[in-house]
Amino acid sequence: MSYWLHSESHLDTGPIYVRENGKLHVVNQGAGGIQHVTSKTRPFRLFSRGFSVELCMNREDDRARRQRTDHFIFTYTKEGNLRYSAKSLFSLVLGYISDNVDHIDSLIGFPEQIAEKLFSAAEARQKFTEPVTGLRALQKFTEAYGSLVLCSLCLRNRYLVISEKLEEIKSFRELTCLDLSCCKLGDEHELLEHLTKEALSSVKQLLLKDNSLSDAGLRRMTAPVRVLKKGLENLLVLDLSCNPKITDVGIGYLLSFKKLNCLDISGTGLKDVNAVIKRLQMQIGLVHSEVPLKEFDHSNCKTEGWAEQTVLQWEQAAMEAIKPQDDLRSRAATLRFYGKTHRIEEVVKCKLVEAETKASGNLQFYKEKAPNCHLPLKKEAVGSHELKNNKKRALAEQESERTSKQKHLCLTVEDWDLLNTY
């Protein structure tokens, strides 16, 4: 021990404490003696006064350490002291799964309440805005919960969102309302072809105002309904206004929507309006409305569901992508002033189309509810046989008309070519 205390080559290790006879003593290395610890002796500090400690969850990966700082909740007391407490195990597990939501195999059979919290946690981390992993994660939710993820989708005047997130939009299932107004999709757009798929057979309200549609687009969109009785067979409300390329021939394709209650064909290129009105009334029971219908004021269709904020995130990302083009507005204004270009804004064009539609007239249709007829018992007894015969005749006529229409309209070579593309 004397060698240890008096060795000159050994580094200074600080004071050494020794317990003897139940008392604590400190060894003085300089004098080599032992001194009793008194109350006046200053306590030894293990760390200096300005020393601070950093809580590290994972020293090997700094990125993982930054992601796991939310394991604690930091608050301040009334005195201004910092206090932290650990989060619950459920919240920690929920955060971990939401960070790796794209690796989930399936959510079928998983409780809806917990799945909604998991979707919100992944949405807060903007996991659904990522190009590849976001699509994979969104498909897992839509396959398991369908309309809970999104039951109504409004993409009015949002062509950028459609072009950037087309695959994500196609992953939504069991939509009941879809608004694609003022998007200039055209007849050959992939989204219009997707409308005929079985995943969107639940759509009841479809708004396709001002989309540059023609008779070919309507024929393509209604081919599965006319031939296979699939696709948009449950459609109740349809808006085709402000599509001047739709003619009387295209309106004939709409007669396959037997459940249609409201139709808007204002601003289309009809040649014989009176004949179209009579045809719609006779074949599918739609009556021309003299006043605008509330079903077409675009206030009923809104984005509703778990993914409502996700659609807003997509829109914000699309708007940020075109921000650098805002600097070119002054240059474009100068060119227009000097007659160098004749560029027309889309918003102005949409307003012009709506003004032309109002000037041409309102062509909105609705289906009247059948009144309840309560006839006397004697008349029912007397005319029961005649009513039965009339019903049989009406059914026979309907069947004959249906078969003739199927032969004449549905089973054409062009329709079969269309069906082969689906």
Side-chain angles (χ1 to χ4, degrees):
M1 185 174 181
S2 60
Y3 174 76
W4 175 268
L5 294 176
H6 296 285
S7 176
E8 296 179 356
S9 62
H10 192 272
L11 297 176
D12 187 10
T13 59
I16 301 175
Y17 295 90
V18 179
R19 183 178 295 277
E20 183 179 357
N21 296 329
K23 295 181 180 181
L24 189 63
H25 304 274
V26 60
V27 179
N28 190 352
Q29 293 185 3
I34 300 177
Q35 296 179 353
H36 294 280
V37 179
T38 60
S39 59
K40 296 182 179 180
T41 306
R42 297 181 62 184
F44 173 72
R45 288 183 175 273
L46 183 61
F47 302 105
S48 61
R49 185 178 296 274
F51 185 80
S52 62
V53 180
E54 180 182 3
L55 182 61
C56 299
M57 303 302 298
N58 191 348
R59 291 182 178 274
E60 296 179 357
D61 190 0
D62 293 337
R63 181 180 179 183
R65 180 179 61 188
R66 288 194 299 269
Q67 292 179 351
R68 295 177 183 176
T69 54
D70 58 348
H71 287 189
F72 299 92
I73 303 174
F74 295 91
T75 57
Y76 286 92
T77 60
K78 296 181 180 180
E79 294 78 9
N81 299 325
L82 182 63
R83 180 178 296 178
Y84 67 91
S85 59
K87 288 187 177 181
S88 62
L89 181 61
F90 175 78
S91 60
L92 295 179
V93 174
L94 191 67
Y96 178 79
I97 297 177
S98 61
D99 288 334
N100 303 275
V101 68
D102 55 302
H103 297 290
I104 297 177
D105 292 334
S106 177
L107 288 170
I108 298 176
F110 200 67
E112 298 176 0
Q113 294 82 359
I114 302 179
E116 184 177 2
K117 294 181 179 179
L118 178 60
F119 190 92
S120 301
E123 190 178 53
R125 289 167 170 79
Q126 297 187 353
K127 299 295 292 185
F128 300 115
T129 59
E130 299 177 1
V132 180
T133 59
L135 174 60
R136 190 185 304 117
L138 189 62
Q139 288 175 347
K140 300 300 180 182
F141 282 96
T142 55
E143 289 174 0
Y145 305 104
S147 60
L148 292 177
V149 179
L150 210 64
C151 62
S152 178
L153 178 59
C154 180
L155 295 174
R156 177 181 172 86
N157 214 355
R158 298 179 181 177
Y159 181 77
L160 291 175
V161 179
I162 296 176
S163 60
E164 293 293 333
K165 298 294 180 180
L166 179 59
E167 296 299 326
E168 286 81 353
I169 294 172
K170 290 168 60 177
S171 66
F172 292 123
R173 297 168 176 261
E174 300 180 9
L175 287 174
T176 58
C177 182
L178 181 59
D179 189 353
L180 299 174
S181 303
C182 304
C183 289
K184 302 293 189 298
L185 298 180
D187 295 331
E188 302 295 333
H189 199 275
E190 188 176 354
L191 185 57
L192 292 179
E193 181 181 352
H194 179 67
L195 292 176
T196 61
K197 303 296 182 181
E198 186 178 359
L200 292 182
S201 61
S202 60
V203 173
K204 296 181 179 180
Q205 185 175 1
L206 180 61
L207 307 179
L208 295 173
K209 178 180 180 180
D210 192 13
N211 269 285
S212 303
L213 296 177
S214 65
D215 297 338
L218 294 184
R219 180 171 58 85
R220 186 180 184 86
M221 190 173 63
T222 58
V225 182
R226 291 184 285 113
V227 181
L228 301 176
K229 305 301 179 184
K230 295 182 179 180
L232 298 172
E233 56 181 353
N234 298 318
L235 196 62
L236 300 178
V237 180
L238 178 61
D239 186 2
L240 294 173
S241 59
C242 303
N243 290 291
K245 295 182 180 180
I246 296 178
T247 63
D248 303 17
V249 178
I251 301 301
Y253 297 126
L254 302 179
L255 301 178
S256 58
F257 295 139
K258 301 300 181 181
K259 298 181 181 180
L260 200 63
N261 290 333
C262 297
L263 175 65
D264 189 359
I265 53 176
S266 306
T268 54
L270 301 181
K271 297 180 180 178
D272 193 350
V273 178
N274 294 328
V276 171
I277 293 175
K278 291 180 181 179
R279 192 177 183 185
L280 291 174
Q281 185 174 2
M282 293 296 295
Q283 297 191 14
I284 57 178
L286 292 180
V287 182
H288 180 232
S289 177
E290 297 180 356
V291 296
L293 300 176
K294 63 179 181 179
E295 284 80 5
F296 302 108
D297 59 357
H298 298 276
S299 62
N300 297 326
C301 186
K302 299 178 181 178
T303 304
E304 296 178 357
W306 296 352
E308 181 178 356
Q309 296 297 324
T310 301
V311 178
L312 292 178
Q313 291 176 0
W314 294 345
E315 185 178 5
Q316 291 176 359
M319 295 303 294
E320 290 178 357
I322 63 173
K323 274 185 178 180
Q325 298 181 2
D326 294 340
D327 299 335
L328 302 177
R329 289 184 178 179
S330 58
R331 181 180 178 183
T334 306
L335 293 176
R336 285 197 296 272
F337 178 78
Y338 288 104
K340 298 294 183 180
T341 182
H342 299 282
R343 183 173 177 267
I344 301 176
E345 299 293 337
E346 295 293 337
V347 179
V348 177
K349 187 176 181 180
C350 186
K351 290 183 179 179
L352 290 176
V353 172
E354 292 180 357
E356 292 177 358
T357 302
K358 293 180 180 179
S360 61
N362 182 31
L363 289 177
Q364 295 181 355
F365 300 84
Y366 68 98
K367 182 173 291 186
E368 290 182 339
K369 295 182 179 179
N372 296 325
C373 297
H374 300 283
L375 299 176
L377 296 176
K378 293 182 179 180
K379 291 183 179 180
E380 289 181 358
V382 173
S384 60
H385 185 68
E386 295 179 357
L387 290 174
K388 289 181 180 178
N389 293 332
N390 292 332
K391 288 182 179 178
K392 290 181 180 179
R393 292 175 183 174
L395 291 174
E397 291 177 358
Q398 289 179 0
E399 288 180 359
S400 61
E401 289 179 359
R402 187 180 301 173
T403 53
S404 62
K405 289 176 184 177
Q406 287 180 354
K407 291 180 181 179
H408 181 67
L409 293 176
C410 299
L411 301 178
T412 59
V413 178
E414 296 177 352
D415 290 336
W416 285 115
D417 293 338
L418 278 176
L419 292 173
N420 291 329
T421 61
Y422 289 112

